[in-house]
Amino acid sequence: MRLLVDRARTFALGGPSGDDDLAAVIDVTATVSPDGQRWSMTIGNPTAVAVPIRRIGWVVPLEVHGPLRIFCNGYQSWSPTGVATLGVDRDPSTSSSFLEVFGGALHADQRQVQGDELRSELFTVLADGSDDIVVAGFSGGDRHDGTFRVRNGAGGPELVIEAFLGGAHLPVGGERVLHDVLVLPGATGEHSALLDRWATDVGRAASARVEAPYQVGWCSWYHYFHKIDEAALDANLALAGDWSFDVFQLDDGYQPAIGDWLRTNDTFDSDLDAIAARISAAGRRPGIWLAPFSMHPNYEMFGRHPEWLATTTDGAGPIPSMIQDIWDGVAYALDVTRPEVLDHLEGIARGLHDAGFSYLKLDFTYAPSFDGIYADMTQTPAERVRAAFAAIRRGAGDDAFLLGCGAPLANVIGLVDGMRIGPDVAPNWEPSPDHVGMNGYEETSPSTRNAWQSALARSFLHRRFWLNDPDCIMLRTEHTDLAPESARAWALAVGASGGMALVSDDLSLLGPAERELLDEVVTLGRMVDDEIRAGAPAPSSPDLMDHRTPTTLVAGRTHIVGTPDAGTAELHHDREQPTP
């Protein structure tokens, strides 16, 4: 399999519809290095009016031998992620029940794909029946998003390399230098080394924050969910004394409304300052959850500043960004292109930091990326997301640990210290029938199997872009449908990845066996993480291109082999040959 570089052609789409051909409207300068490994593009606007640009890039014919497989990396933390085969598998947006607003939360381009097209965000791996593979990735994501699409064109399979600008207006006389695209050829089995090479280079160029210590913590979400109260929080803090937690984090459920992050609701007698002080006095780092880029009508600022909200493309009203009964319905996306909104976000982060919270979990942070009407239409979705995160970083300070969640991965390298890399775990291995996502998007549903799939597939990003957060270990044996062997399989995967080790159980339900499992995971995780920091290759999944749900994770002297259909796994050391 190879790219037919000499037959590549450029394209540019945008205008009012987003699909108008701009080839004769804007200036496009495109170059490919002599070795075919670096693709560059600059665009300019010679016209007398601003030009909205949605998608621009190359269409590259492919020489393929046998079925074409593409690794499809999802846009944000929970987006579907895994290998797919052209002509066999379908992009989830092709479902008849697809809603564009849902697509806006899970894809860079919220529109439904056409025909048999498959897509991957930021990077991809291409393989066929030959011994040749290609790893391709954008050199960054702070200026715009990048998407790789494969499809069957009129002349056969082709790769679309796309800079996604999302309708950003290119001003009169304006110019944009797009992120380079790196194309790395290799042989079957070399995808892990090539992905590590690409991620290392991109992380260094973006000054990725990869120096934070290994993280062990407790979080309130997966036992108490939205029903956390002060009594439960204090009870667990009292029991945490001899556990190895560095961080003690209050999750969703404390706030009066989405957007109202500096006060507690009526299930808490104490204010945030007092809660943080008690956590700190117990020897833990105080952490707190917020979804800062959305606002609910119950929050007083919603009525006071309606101009702070981004508007749907048809001008009908604000953009819905979060929909849950636990939040009293719909919350709406902030227009983060407004300086006063960025000042507001900076003030929230500073207020939480001043209250004593130096660990902020930032959730549902795709909100600024939706198609819509914004005060500054020259910004791309990527620039909007990054500006919002930058405001939080300014307010929280450089010493704060920022954990991204529901975050567009490409846009925040260098701003976050940790990143959720998969869907929510759950007290069940397979998705619960009560929590299955939209048709086609079942892999976004909370389940430990879904978390396993993305954690293995994206394991190589650990300490290249940030500290990976695979999501919480599920230790409890009560109030759960997760079999003990499945809980252990997931715990071993978290440990072998070297990523953050977080617990989210009622500590009163945990006994010596659960403590022993956590100790095993933390010991394993610290060892793997130390090896990576000392220069070992990033964790990787050797069968990434063989199974939609990878089975194997290799990290330094350790690897695990799982049976995802059964929810089991075995741990191996010193690379002895496993038996799947």
Side-chain angles (χ1 to χ4, degrees):
M1 194 278 299
R2 65 189 183 95
L3 278 62
L4 303 179
V5 179
D6 58 332
R7 291 169 51 190
R9 63 186 188 274
T10 61
F11 71 93
L13 301 174
S17 72
D19 293 321
D20 298 343
D21 188 349
L22 302 180
V25 177
I26 63 173
D27 293 332
V28 178
T29 303
T31 61
V32 180
S33 63
D35 61 5
Q37 294 190 18
R38 183 173 290 271
W39 300 51
S40 305
M41 184 175 285
T42 300
I43 58 176
N45 179 9
T47 75
V49 295
V51 178
I53 301 176
R54 188 170 185 85
R55 303 165 50 199
I56 187 166
W58 294 266
V59 178
V60 190
L62 299 174
E63 181 182 291
V64 175
H65 304 278
L68 175 60
R69 288 165 289 144
I70 175 174
F71 178 76
C72 299
N73 180 55
Y75 170 60
Q76 53 109 318
S77 302
W78 323 312
S79 299
T81 294
V83 69
T85 300
L86 181 64
V88 176
D89 300 305
R90 306 288 288 184
D91 186 274
S93 72
T94 59
S95 165
S96 60
S97 60
F98 175 75
L99 297 174
E100 198 167 290
V101 67
F102 195 75
L106 294 168
H107 303 289
D109 185 350
Q110 67 188 55
R111 297 181 179 181
Q112 195 170 37
V113 305
Q114 300 300 309
D116 62 356
E117 188 174 88
L118 299 170
R119 58 180 156 177
S120 182
E121 312 288 355
L122 180 59
F123 70 90
T124 191
V125 184
L126 301 177
D128 60 5
S130 72
D131 289 332
D132 299 318
I133 67 166
V134 169
V135 168
F138 282 80
S139 62
D142 57 314
R143 302 176 208 160
H144 57 80
D145 292 295
T147 303
F148 298 92
R149 304 172 187 257
V150 294
R151 65 193 185 195
N152 281 305
E158 54 190 24
L159 171 68
V160 179
I161 302 173
E162 169 187 303
F164 183 73
L165 277 61
H169 291 198
L170 188 61
V172 176
E175 181 179 272
R176 268 190 180 272
V177 179
L178 305 182
H179 289 297
D180 286 352
V181 179
L182 308 177
V183 177
L184 307 176
T188 299
E190 293 180 347
H191 63 269
S192 297
L194 293 174
L195 287 169
D196 192 3
R197 172 182 158 190
W198 167 79
T200 299
D201 289 347
V202 172
R204 285 175 178 164
S207 300
R209 297 176 64 95
V210 294
E211 297 303 323
Y214 181 76
Q215 300 288 303
V216 184
W218 182 89
C219 154
S220 61
W221 181 246
Y222 287 109
H223 183 87
Y224 298 98
F225 296 97
H226 196 257
K227 296 180 179 179
I228 185 65
D229 58 28
E230 187 162 359
L233 188 74
D234 286 346
N236 280 276
L237 184 60
L239 292 170
D242 56 352
W243 289 76
S244 56
F245 304 138
D246 307 307
V247 174
F248 197 84
Q249 184 230 310
L250 174 60
D251 213 282
D252 185 12
Y254 71 90
Q255 72 281 357
I258 296 297
D260 196 352
W261 307 116
L262 299 181
R263 299 188 301 149
T264 54
N265 59 34
D266 58 10
T267 66
F268 287 78
D269 293 328
S270 300
D271 61 16
L272 291 177
D273 297 66
I275 292 169
R278 291 203 297 274
I279 295 172
S280 184
R284 305 289 186 260
R285 184 177 197 173
I288 197 164
W289 175 95
L290 62 159
F293 308 148
S294 296
M295 192 163 59
H296 190 276
N298 288 347
Y299 179 36
E300 62 179 355
M301 300 298 280
F302 188 96
R304 190 181 303 175
H305 290 289
E307 75 281 4
W308 284 11
L309 299 169
T311 306
T312 56
T313 53
D314 60 5
I319 298 172
S321 55
M322 299 168 60
I323 306 172
Q324 284 282 357
D325 290 341
I326 60 174
W327 302 316
D328 293 327
V330 182
Y332 297 90
L334 291 170
D335 182 351
V336 298
T337 70
R338 291 181 174 273
E340 64 270 30
V341 172
L342 295 180
D343 289 345
H344 171 72
L345 293 174
E346 183 176 340
I348 287 172
R350 182 173 293 109
L352 291 172
H353 188 272
D354 291 348
F357 292 97
S358 61
Y359 176 107
L360 306 183
K361 178 181 176 182
L362 310 173
D363 209 348
F364 297 89
T365 48
Y366 55 78
S369 70
F370 287 97
D371 288 357
I373 300 171
Y374 295 84
D376 181 357
M377 291 298 292
T378 68
Q379 294 187 28
T380 66
E383 289 169 331
R384 296 195 296 264
V385 170
R386 189 168 183 86
F389 268 90
I392 296 292
R393 171 57 72 188
R394 288 194 298 273
D398 193 61
D399 62 332
F401 188 100
L402 300 186
L403 174 62
C405 191
L409 305 184
N411 307 158
V412 297
I413 305 166
L415 290 175
V416 299
D417 303 276
M419 176 64 76
R420 172 78 75 76
I421 56 167
D424 283 11
V425 296
N428 40 271
W429 183 255
E430 300 287 351
S432 166
D434 298 330
H435 295 91
V436 175
M438 181 186 298
N439 185 29
Y441 290 88
E442 292 82 2
E443 291 176 350
T444 67
S445 301
S447 87
T448 305
R449 178 181 176 138
N450 284 346
W452 166 290
Q453 179 169 315
S454 290
L456 268 64
R458 291 168 164 169
S459 58
F460 73 96
L461 299 176
H462 182 61
R463 290 209 184 272
R464 299 303 187 251
F465 286 0
W466 43 60
L467 274 64
N468 276 357
D469 171 18
D471 207 9
C472 292
I473 302 164
M474 306 296 286
L475 295 176
R476 64 183 183 263
T477 56
E478 301 177 47
H479 306 290
T480 181
D481 293 323
L482 197 62
E485 59 270 22
S486 297
R488 177 171 176 78
W490 172 240
L492 293 176
V494 172
S497 76
M500 298 167 62
L502 305 174
V503 174
S504 193
D505 297 298
D506 177 350
L507 296 180
S508 69
L509 299 179
L510 307 183
E514 291 77 32
R515 185 187 298 265
E516 183 178 344
L517 177 57
L518 178 62
D519 289 345
E520 180 183 3
V521 169
V522 170
T523 299
L524 174 62
R526 289 191 191 279
M527 180 188 75
V528 170
D529 190 51
D530 285 346
E531 289 176 345
I532 296 167
R533 298 186 78 177
S540 64
S541 180
D543 61 345
L544 180 74
M545 300 299 290
D546 300 328
H547 308 288
R548 181 69 182 183
T549 303
T551 67
T552 305
L553 177 63
V554 175
R557 295 179 291 114
T558 300
H559 61 258
I560 62 168
V561 178
T563 307
D565 287 344
T568 60
E570 294 182 359
L571 177 67
H572 303 265
H573 293 292
D574 297 321
R575 304 280 182 91
E576 75 256 26
Q577 291 300 311
T579 301

